[in-house]
């Protein structure tokens, strides 16, 4: 265990204000593991539980448990005497994280009702009375988390266990100062959180508008006065009279060109969120990009190819690539047959309408195991406007969606700046750099 002198002289906090004390976390809490459960144990009713996935959620602000974070387990899995029971003013820490930023993520039980730590969690229950909300704010700071992070190495998955938490220290001001700090932060953070919530609502509305704009364009066309006909497909309804319903196999063909030798081509990934992009662009700077020693056996992908994650096609994880590169051998790669304007189908196949359609033909025992196999995919139907209409729709959607994406990006940048401002306020308050008794 590190000594008090070592921690006190470390860069994580610096000098102590007069009357403040450095205390080992183990003096304030008893440590235990969360329940040994899996997602399969979750039910609609029963005892409340919170696992690492909810702790890492963007909805979690740490100082309180929001109802949206809670899940349930059967009563017989969560007894009253279970060490995984989180008492009032106790904390639940995630014991794993995919990046350094998430190392130290936790949530405080702010209610008088007990809940339970779930899978991949460490439970901290208080040994004595203190202002747990002050500690909840302290735990959010990068300064405090440095004690955990500085001993971790770059791996695919970071571990924050009982031992690493047991070796940390916290700084406790006098009780009246703790109360002043909490009051100061509650007022200022509430205003920031309200602003962030409003901006997230704007983002959701923009995303919904984008979805409806795309769906309308790729299923009804751009002219609201065009003559319509019955498509002959129950779930589709009417389409413009000049449009056809064709098999996807008449538009695309599966190809499987495997890489035999070393290649300088970039590794690509496909997602329901951003389509096909260079994988390195989608990895956080704090993450470690693990590149296979050899890309032998990966598939070649060309600009204009349709890439499909067969396990997530029902969620929209298929898209037309705008890059040459290599892709996972487990994905489906389909090349267009002739000049078909493949980007139109990029928009079409990612609509909620087609996600539902693809899901109905996917096979598996549960959503996380559903697969849309290439041979089935090619037998399904596509809405096909005349080529001139496809090109007009793509030009229209490219322009409109770019404007919407830019508006969303501006809101996300503001949210990020508000988050940084919030962290700065908390850091200065809990480290005594702001006199909250006079604020």
């Amino acid at each position: 265990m590190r000594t008090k002198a070592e921690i006190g002289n470390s860069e994580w906090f610096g000098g102590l204000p007069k009357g403040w004390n450095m205390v080992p976390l183990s003096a304030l809490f008893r440590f235990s593991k969360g329940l040994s459960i899996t997602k399969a144990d979750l039910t609609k009713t029963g005892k409340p539980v919170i696992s690492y996935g909810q702790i890492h959620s963007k909805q979690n602000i740490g100082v309180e448990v929001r109802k949206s974070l809670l899940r349930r387990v059967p009563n017989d899995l969560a007894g009253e005497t279970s060490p995984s029971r989180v008492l009032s003013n106790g904390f639940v820490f995630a014991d794993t994280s995919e990046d350094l930023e998430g190392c130290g993520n936790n949530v405080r039980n702010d209610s008088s009702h007990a809940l339970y730590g779930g899978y991949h969690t460490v439970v901290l229950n208080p040994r004595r009375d203190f202002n747990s909300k002050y500690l909840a704010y302290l735990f959010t700071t990068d300064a405090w988390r440095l004690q955990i992070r500085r001993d971790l190495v770059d791996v695919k998955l970071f571990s924050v266990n009982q031992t690493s938490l047991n070796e940390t220290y916290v700084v406790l001001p006098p009780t009246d100062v703790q109360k002043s700090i909490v009051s100061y932060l509650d007022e200022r953070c509430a205003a920031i959180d309200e602003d962030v919530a409003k901006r997230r609502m704007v983002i959701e509305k923009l995303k919904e508008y984008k979805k409806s704009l795309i769906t309308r364009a790729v299923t009804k066309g751009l002219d609201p006065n065009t003559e319509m006909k019955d498509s002959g497909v129950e779930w589709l309804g009417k389409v413009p009279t000049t449009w056809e319903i064709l098999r996807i196999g008449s538009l695309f063909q599966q190809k499987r060109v495997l890489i035999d030798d070393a290649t300088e081509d970039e590794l690509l990934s496909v997602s329901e969120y951003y389509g096909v992009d260079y994988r390195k662009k989608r990895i956080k700077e704090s993450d470690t990009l693990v590149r296979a020693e050899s890309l032998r056996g990966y598939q070649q992908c060309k600009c204009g190819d349709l890439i499909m994650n067969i396990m997530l096609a029902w969620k929209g994880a298929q898209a037309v690539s705008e890059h040459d590169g290599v892709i996972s051998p487990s994905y489906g790669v389909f090349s267009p047959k002739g000049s078909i304007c493949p980007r139109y189908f990029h928009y079409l196949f990612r609509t909620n309408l087609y996600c539902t359609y693809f899901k109905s033909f996917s096979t598996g025992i549960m959503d996380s195991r559903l697969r849309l196999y290439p041979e089935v995919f090619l037998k399904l139907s596509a809405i096909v406007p005349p080529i001139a209409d496809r090109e007009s729709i793509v030009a229209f959607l490219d322009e409109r969606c770019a404007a919407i994406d830019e508006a969303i990006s501006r809101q996300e940048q503001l949210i990020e700046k508000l988050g940084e401002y919030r962290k700065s306020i908390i850091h200065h308050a809990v480290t005594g750099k702001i006199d909250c008794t006079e604020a």
Side-chain angles (χ1 to χ4, degrees), residues 10 67 84 154 156 180 189-190 203 313 320 403 426:
S10 77
K67 289 183 179 180
S84 302
D154 288 343
K156 287 189 69 174
S180 296
C189 289
I203 289 174
V320 171
I426 293 173

Side-chain angles (χ1 to χ4, degrees), residues 250-269:
S250 68
L251 304 160
F252 291 91
Q253 60 189 357
Q254 185 180 12
K255 73 174 188 180
R256 192 169 176 82
V257 180
L258 302 182
I259 303 298
D260 291 328
D261 302 311
T263 177
E264 295 300 318
D265 286 342
E266 289 284 354
L267 186 59
L268 303 174
S269 62

Side-chain angles (χ1 to χ4, degrees), residues 334-352:
F334 307 89
S335 60
K337 292 183 175 181
S339 301
I340 63 169
C341 188
R343 190 157 174 79
Y344 164 80
F345 300 98
H346 167 93
Y347 282 119
L348 178 68
F349 293 158
R350 291 165 61 81
T351 62
N352 288 342

Side-chain angles (χ1 to χ4, degrees), residues 136-242:
Y137 279 123
L138 177 65
F139 289 157
T140 67
T141 64
D142 289 331
W144 182 82
R145 294 184 182 197
L146 178 65
Q147 298 176 89
I148 300 170
R149 294 170 179 168
R150 67 182 184 179
D151 290 336
L152 298 176
V153 294
D154 288 343
V155 293
K156 287 189 69 174
L157 199 65
F158 296 95
S159 175
V160 180
N161 52 35
Q162 293 184 52
T163 300
S164 57
L165 288 171
N166 187 63
E167 292 184 349
T168 63
Y169 282 73
V170 295
V171 174
L172 287 181
T175 302
D176 60 330
V177 177
Q178 292 179 43
K179 185 177 180 181
S180 296
I181 290 173
V182 168
S183 180
Y184 172 87
L185 290 176
D186 281 351
E187 180 179 352
R188 282 152 184 79
C189 289
I192 296 171
D193 293 344
E194 184 179 354
D195 194 354
V196 169
K198 288 179 179 177
R199 294 184 187 283
R200 284 187 174 144
M201 286 180 62
V202 170
I203 289 174
E204 288 307 309
K205 289 180 179 178
L206 286 169
K207 287 181 177 179
E208 288 302 315
Y209 172 64
K210 180 180 174 182
K211 285 182 180 180
S212 65
L213 186 75
I214 292 171
T215 300
R216 170 71 194 184
V218 297
T219 60
K220 306 300 179 185
L222 302 180
D223 183 0
N225 299 314
T226 191
E227 187 178 350
M228 308 292 283
K229 68 178 180 181
D230 191 336
S231 66
V233 180
E234 184 178 353
W235 55 269
L236 180 57
K238 292 185 176 182
V239 296
T241 54
T242 58

Side-chain angles (χ1 to χ4, degrees), residues 267-270 274-282 323:
L267 186 59
L268 303 174
S269 62
V270 60
Y274 56 77
V276 177
D277 205 350
Y278 295 118
R279 188 182 173 207
K280 66 181 181 182
K281 282 180 59 178
R282 298 297 169 174
H323 318 285

Side-chain angles (χ1 to χ4, degrees), residues 333-404:
V333 179
F334 307 89
S335 60
K337 292 183 175 181
S339 301
I340 63 169
C341 188
R343 190 157 174 79
Y344 164 80
F345 300 98
H346 167 93
Y347 282 119
L348 178 68
F349 293 158
R350 291 165 61 81
T351 62
N352 288 342
L353 190 69
Y354 260 80
C355 287
T356 301
Y357 179 46
F358 290 154
K359 187 174 184 178
S360 68
F361 284 90
S362 299
T363 56
I365 58 175
M366 60 182 68
D367 284 356
S368 61
R369 292 291 182 267
L370 289 179
R371 288 176 169 82
L372 180 61
Y373 291 103
E375 59 271 20
V376 176
F377 170 71
L378 292 172
K379 293 178 181 177
L380 301 182
S381 300
I383 311 166
V384 185
I387 187 65
D389 288 0
R390 277 177 256 168
E391 292 171 348
S392 297
I393 289 170
V394 167
F396 170 80
L397 289 178
D398 282 351
E399 181 180 356
R400 296 294 295 273
C401 289
I404 296 170

